[in-house]
Amino acid sequence: MVKYFFSQTDIKSSWEHVFSAFWQKYPNPFSKHVLTEDVVFREVTPDNTLISRRLLTKTNHLPRWAEKIFPSNLSRSVFVIEDSIVDPKNKTLTTFSWNINHTRLMVVEERCVYSMSQEKQAWSLAKREAWISSGVFGFSRAIQEFGLARFKSNQAKAMRGLDYALSILHGDGPSRPLKASAKDVAEKSKETKLAASAKNLASAASPQKSNQFV
């Protein structure tokens, strides 16, 4: 059995602004669970569609009940692949993401489409879907419930982070992201090293075509 999530959010900005802010939303003070981001593949197709693949590293704090069940040496980081397709003609930005580690514990797959609002002029619309599954015998339901709750929390932070990037783009917010603490810098440095092996896997999984970076 799979847990399903759907949300639809109006964004008070044009699609062009949302598209620009999407690539500038990290780091932000609302998404501190996102530790690193790396572009591992990018290509512009003959019809001017932009295709990208990024590797994101996120924190993976377990609830107390899970810490009693799973090994203490279980990685506290989650590596996430994010594929995106930008269609400037139809003005859509579609992302697909999924975790590539801890898959025996839980898999979270997400699809999000940013498009122009058909009802509100100069507004955009974000439609988000997610599927949470677990194959752990005897605990799959609890794990899926936890995964769904965690996803709802993180997607709310993601939207606040996007709003933050939009405010900077519009000149309404601070001119630069908030300065990270020394502890955050040290943790991010550690997670960057952990992400190296996952980045190699992501690069190997990328389409073997000549890249055109933009």
Side-chain angles (χ1 to χ4, degrees):
M1 189 174 181
V2 176
K3 288 291 181 181
Y4 175 72
F5 172 85
F6 173 81
S7 70
Q8 184 168 294
T9 306
D10 290 315
I11 305 173
K12 194 176 181 180
S13 288
S14 67
W15 181 84
E16 289 80 3
H17 283 151
V18 171
F19 162 69
S20 297
F22 175 82
W23 303 108
Q24 303 175 47
K25 65 180 180 178
Y26 300 126
N28 70 73
F30 305 107
S31 298
K32 293 183 178 180
H33 64 289
V34 179
L35 305 175
T36 65
E37 58 168 335
D38 295 280
V39 175
V40 295
F41 174 80
R42 181 161 283 168
E43 177 185 35
V44 177
T45 66
D47 63 352
N48 289 324
T49 297
L50 174 65
I51 300 174
S52 303
R53 169 166 287 187
R54 296 196 296 177
L55 171 68
L56 305 176
T57 308
K58 303 183 179 183
T59 56
N60 181 41
H61 298 300
L62 295 175
R64 289 184 178 181
W65 60 264
E67 292 179 350
K68 298 178 180 180
I69 299 173
F70 299 104
S72 59
N73 61 349
L74 185 69
S75 173
R76 292 300 187 262
S77 299
V78 177
F79 303 124
V80 176
I81 293 292
E82 177 199 81
D83 286 348
S84 61
I85 302 173
V86 180
D87 183 347
K89 182 178 180 180
N90 295 309
K91 294 189 176 181
T92 60
L93 165 59
T94 305
T95 65
F96 306 89
S97 62
W98 65 97
N99 58 298
I100 58 174
N101 66 332
H102 302 315
T103 53
R104 292 185 179 181
L105 175 62
M106 179 170 58
V107 175
V108 179
E109 300 170 289
E110 177 189 6
R111 179 177 186 268
C112 188
V113 180
Y114 300 89
S115 61
M116 294 188 302
S117 174
Q118 301 300 315
E119 300 177 355
K120 299 179 180 180
Q121 187 176 7
W123 284 47
S124 302
L125 181 67
K127 291 184 178 180
R128 191 184 308 271
E129 294 179 280
W131 297 264
I132 298 97
S133 60
S134 174
V136 179
F137 180 75
F139 295 96
S140 61
R141 183 175 179 179
I143 292 172
Q144 288 171 6
E145 290 287 356
F146 165 74
L148 179 59
R150 173 68 61 83
F151 180 85
K152 289 179 179 179
S153 173
N154 286 346
Q155 71 90 25
K157 294 175 184 177
M159 291 307 301
R160 293 181 70 186
L162 182 63
D163 287 340
Y164 178 83
L166 282 167
S167 70
I168 295 176
L169 199 63
H170 290 306
D172 300 328
S175 60
R176 66 186 68 178
L178 299 182
K179 186 177 180 181
S181 66
K183 181 178 179 181
D184 290 337
V185 172
E187 183 177 2
K188 188 167 184 176
S189 176
K190 179 180 179 181
E191 297 299 341
T192 299
K193 295 178 181 179
L194 289 174
S197 59
K199 183 177 181 180
N200 292 335
L201 290 173
S203 299
S206 298
Q208 298 301 312
K209 300 179 182 179
S210 58
N211 295 355
Q212 181 179 352
F213 294 92
V214 294

